Amino acid sequence: MPFPSPHTTPHVTSQAGGHGGQIPVERHEGAAPVFDPLAEVRSESDPRTDVYLTGTVFLDIIFTGLDSAPVRGTESWARGMGSSPGGIANMATALARLGLRTSLAAAFGDDMYGEYCWEALSRGEGIDLGLSRTVPGWHSPVTVSMAYEGERTMVSHGHEAPPPVGAPPAVAGGEPAPECPPAARACVALLVPGKQEEWIATAARRGSRIFADVGWDETGRWDPADLADLEHCEAFLPNAEEAMRYTRTDCPRAAARALADKVPLAVVTMGERGAYAVDGRTGESAEVPAILVEALDPTGAGDVFVAGFVTGTLAEWPLADRLAFAGLSAALSVQEFGGSLSAPGWVEIAAWWQHVRSFDDQSAATLRRYAFLDDVLPAATRPWPLRRAVPTLGFRRP
């Protein structure tokens, strides 16, 4: 059943368990206090960065409350609208809000959109943009997302950023990633069919754990051989349709088992049916049903799922707990506008857990499935809400 959005709860205190307790945190302007989910597994020899990622940052303009898809020759009015950083910013923000030290390499335009996205990510979310750059005279890519009937349709516009002056061939063609990525516990990569990224292999050789997603194969080939960088990956997280096409199967679970022969950990998301994972190293499998919510905007939900799964993996949680946490994070995100700024933080997750234990709107099985949160959630309060998407960039925070 749908449940009230926890973002309306200004102050939440959760039960502290084995991983809980009040943790000294670093505060970033505009961001909620950060809880460190990796505190118990960190050592002095660990790299400074938890997760590195690179890609294109878009300015997302999101319309919600549409009754149907726009019809040619007519004007449609949306009941809701929001703006936020999008593209790779969805994943970076979701990771940072879960307390991971996140480094993003991207190009930003020197227009108002680019300035807004840089400020929102750096000052608002505490994301390290030291490897990013501002490109004079280049306008920011823009996506308009229209949400209706539980899905969304997107229209995007943008041009490749010019390479940095004097850039080596490895970063030509607008690729914002440095030739050598920084030392990091993990990297998140978006695989492009038929294209190999040198930085992925470099990061894997240096000990980073690679988590890979994939986009739609516009060529229609759906040939696993086109995903050569899978050999460097620890985990692959496609959706059910993508997984079945790449494996020539008609069942998401069969697809996950087939993919586990190619990558150590295969995770297939199944939308309203949840997610299924197979660990090819141990033979372990896990399936977790989705949490039913009233979705406002599904933009970025897949990115939030990956961020939750990466967090649980780096924290060394059991496979089923990782799947459940990832699914919960994604479910909470679709109750808010936008991709990046809809991502939940620990206080929002604690608010949901407090709610489901106080109200009879979730099954006993759900309560048992998420009981592990008692040993994970921090004891913390939030003096201000997380930044959310707003209708116009003209609104400035005080």
Side-chain angles (χ1 to χ4, degrees):
M1 293 180 62
F3 54 86
S5 171
H7 306 303
T8 60
T9 307
H11 298 286
V12 178
T13 302
S14 67
Q15 299 284 334
H19 291 255
Q22 191 66 43
I23 306 295
V25 297
E26 180 182 359
R27 294 175 183 267
H28 300 282
E29 181 180 344
V34 176
F35 165 70
D36 184 2
L38 308 186
E40 291 196 356
V41 299
R42 291 194 187 280
S43 68
E44 293 182 358
S45 61
D46 289 338
R48 177 181 177 182
T49 298
D50 289 330
V51 184
Y52 166 81
L53 61 168
T54 184
T56 302
V57 173
F58 288 77
L59 185 281
D60 279 357
I61 301 172
I62 308 102
F63 292 105
T64 66
L66 291 165
D67 295 322
S68 62
V71 178
R72 183 175 61 182
T74 67
E75 181 179 14
S76 299
W77 280 82
R79 292 187 291 274
M81 175 185 170
S83 303
S84 66
I88 194 63
N90 295 341
M91 182 81 69
T93 300
L95 290 163
R97 288 188 170 185
L98 291 176
L100 299 186
R101 302 166 185 172
T102 304
S103 174
L104 171 63
F108 290 79
D110 64 349
D111 52 10
M112 184 178 68
Y113 291 169
E115 292 176 1
Y116 160 74
C117 289
W118 185 290
E119 178 182 336
L121 298 176
S122 179
R123 298 181 62 191
E125 305 298 338
I127 295 167
D128 179 5
L129 297 182
L131 295 173
S132 293
R133 60 193 176 98
T134 298
V135 182
W138 180 64
H139 75 75
S140 300
V142 176
T143 291
V144 175
S145 176
M146 293 161 282
Y148 54 89
E149 298 176 353
E151 279 295 339
R152 82 271 194 214
T153 297
M154 296 180 287
V155 178
S156 297
H157 173 73
H159 304 280
E160 276 193 349
V165 177
V171 296
E175 171 57 60
E179 185 178 7
C180 297
R185 286 175 178 268
C187 300
V188 179
L190 178 63
L191 304 185
V192 179
K195 180 180 179 181
Q196 285 189 271
E197 298 282 1
E198 184 179 347
W199 74 265
I200 296 176
T202 300
R205 285 195 304 269
R206 294 177 175 176
S208 293
R209 304 164 73 175
I210 312 298
F211 296 77
D213 197 357
V214 68
W216 190 258
D217 187 355
E218 299 291 347
T219 70
R221 286 167 46 88
W222 299 102
D223 185 349
D226 290 341
L227 303 179
D229 280 330
L230 269 185
E231 66 174 308
H232 308 299
C233 298
E234 174 172 332
F236 184 41
L237 300 95
N239 64 35
E241 183 66 22
E242 294 159 350
M244 290 187 292
R245 286 177 179 266
Y246 273 118
T247 58
R248 309 297 192 267
T249 59
D250 57 5
C251 170
R253 297 165 188 82
R257 292 191 291 270
L259 289 172
D261 291 333
K262 302 180 180 297
V263 68
L265 183 58
V267 181
V268 175
T269 57
M270 302 184 294
E272 294 181 355
R273 291 176 292 165
Y276 182 79
V278 176
D279 190 326
R281 296 162 297 193
T282 66
E284 178 186 8
S285 64
E287 182 170 353
V288 174
I291 296 173
L292 298 180
V293 297
E294 186 175 346
L296 173 65
D297 176 18
T299 304
D303 296 319
V304 176
F305 181 96
V306 173
F309 190 82
V310 169
T311 300
T313 301
L314 296 183
E316 301 180 0
W317 298 351
L319 181 58
D321 291 352
R322 287 181 263 164
L323 276 186
F325 183 75
L328 170 60
S329 300
L332 295 181
S333 77
V334 302
Q335 294 186 296
E336 298 287 345
F337 281 113
S340 62
L341 301 188
S342 69
W346 286 101
V347 174
E348 283 67 35
I349 294 166
W352 176 84
W353 183 231
Q354 185 180 67
H355 172 85
V356 298
R357 290 183 301 173
S358 303
F359 297 89
D360 187 22
D361 60 1
Q362 295 289 333
S363 67
T366 297
L367 292 176
R368 290 192 300 271
R369 173 59 269 163
Y370 288 91
F372 74 93
L373 290 176
D374 283 332
D375 293 328
V376 172
L377 292 171
T381 58
R382 185 185 68 235
W384 57 77
L386 292 174
R387 179 178 292 195
R388 298 296 175 194
V390 295
T392 172
L393 303 187
F395 292 155
R396 289 290 183 178
R397 305 188 71 196

Coordinates of all heavy atoms in Angstrom, one line a residue, residues 70-76:
P70 N 1.5 13.6 -24.3 CA 1.2 14.8 -25.1 C 0.7 14.3 -26.5 O 1.2 13.3 -27.1 CB 2.5 15.5 -25.2 CG 3.2 15.1 -24.0 CD 2.9 13.7 -23.7
V71 N -0.3 15.0 -27.0 CA -0.9 14.7 -28.3 C -0.5 15.7 -29.3 O -0.5 16.9 -29.0 CB -2.4 14.6 -28.2 CG1 -3.0 14.3 -29.6 CG2 -2.8 13.5 -27.2
R72 N 0.0 15.3 -30.5 CA 0.4 16.2 -31.5 C -0.7 17.3 -31.8 O -1.9 16.9 -32.0 CB 0.8 15.5 -32.8 CG 1.3 16.3 -33.9 CD 1.8 15.5 -35.1 NE 0.7 14.8 -35.7 CZ 0.8 13.9 -36.7 NH1 2.0 13.7 -37.2 NH2 -0.3 13.3 -37.2
G73 N -0.3 18.5 -31.9 CA -1.2 19.6 -32.3 C -2.0 20.1 -31.1 O -2.9 21.0 -31.3
T74 N -1.8 19.6 -29.9 CA -2.5 20.1 -28.7 C -1.6 20.6 -27.7 O -0.3 20.4 -27.8 CB -3.4 19.0 -28.1 OG1 -2.5 18.0 -27.5 CG2 -4.2 18.3 -29.2
E75 N -2.1 21.3 -26.7 CA -1.3 21.8 -25.6 C -1.7 21.0 -24.3 O -2.9 20.9 -24.0 CB -1.5 23.3 -25.3 CG -0.7 23.9 -24.2 CD -0.9 25.4 -24.0 OE1 -1.9 25.9 -24.6 OE2 -0.1 26.0 -23.2
S76 N -0.8 20.5 -23.6 CA -1.0 19.8 -22.4 C -0.5 20.6 -21.2 O 0.6 21.2 -21.3 CB -0.3 18.4 -22.4 OG -0.8 17.6 -23.5

